[in-house]
Amino acid sequence: MCDALIAVGGFDGSSDLASVESCFLPSSSTTWSLTDGMQTVRSAAGAAVSSGRVYIAGGSSGAVAHSTVESFSARAHPITSDVLQCEWRTEPPLSEARMAVSLTATEDGRLWATGGWTHGRGATATVESLARDADAWSAAPPMRTARCSFGAVELGGAVLALGGSGDAGPVDACESFDPR
């Protein structure tokens, strides 16, 4: 992995994107460079870094939610070190398609997909994890509060879910889950 800020996918005001952009740090310029795009066009996806790979999960294209997960290992281009080179691979899909999902990596290398929005149920409290080199996600205890579009971070091995939106509006609750 390299020292860079990385932006994946998104929405440009008219279309969902598959683009990947990077800005290397420290740098005398704040120039963003485009690189090899994702396999799936998506906005509202979760992203996390684990074991030197960037993982992108869920999201949506238009009104269609995704269960797909993809990852890439990134390194600086050997000649022009301010351009990112990506080696992509397809990862096991989430158990259900959801957008506005949060993705968090914990110290043990696991990925945690928490919450999100599904077409059938709206905001969800679903939690699932993917162990390093596993071929499927495993169900975990659900969050107490269904939410989407929220922040999630790892702190001391626990996953913290902060704020977001629920079916009835903004969520002002924070909760934590310690998988150990």
Side-chain angles (χ1 to χ4, degrees):
M1 199 66 183
C2 50
D3 293 328
L5 295 175
I6 300 171
V8 294
F11 183 73
D12 69 3
S14 62
S15 300
D16 293 304
L17 306 171
S19 62
V20 176
E21 298 183 54
S22 61
C23 180
F24 284 83
L25 303 171
S27 175
S28 58
S29 86
T30 55
T31 303
W32 286 82
S33 300
L34 282 169
T35 190
D36 302 329
M38 294 184 290
Q39 300 165 355
T40 303
V41 172
R42 62 177 93 214
S43 61
V49 176
S50 180
S51 303
R53 296 193 70 79
V54 177
Y55 291 82
I56 303 100
S60 65
S61 298
V64 178
H66 297 297
S67 62
T68 58
V69 180
E70 53 192 299
S71 72
F72 66 90
S73 61
R75 59 183 166 85
H77 189 280
I79 297 170
T80 60
S81 61
D82 61 345
V83 176
L84 195 66
Q85 283 189 315
C86 302
E87 296 174 17
W88 289 93
R89 75 179 183 210
T90 301
E91 302 292 344
L94 298 171
S95 63
E96 88 181 305
R98 44 196 165 138
M99 60 183 79
V101 61
S102 287
L103 193 64
T104 310
T106 50
E107 297 168 339
D108 62 1
R110 281 185 177 271
L111 292 173
W112 296 87
T114 51
W117 189 90
T118 65
H119 287 293
R121 296 182 297 149
T124 180
T126 299
V127 177
E128 54 190 319
S129 70
L130 182 68
R132 191 177 294 139
D133 299 322
D135 59 2
W137 291 78
S138 299
M143 293 185 292
R144 294 174 192 250
T145 305
R147 62 181 80 208
C148 62
S149 302
F150 63 98
V153 296
E154 180 274 336
L155 182 63
V159 176
L160 280 71
L162 311 154
S165 295
D167 291 335
V171 173
D172 62 359
C174 299
E175 57 188 290
S176 67
F177 171 70
D178 193 336
R180 296 170 291 174

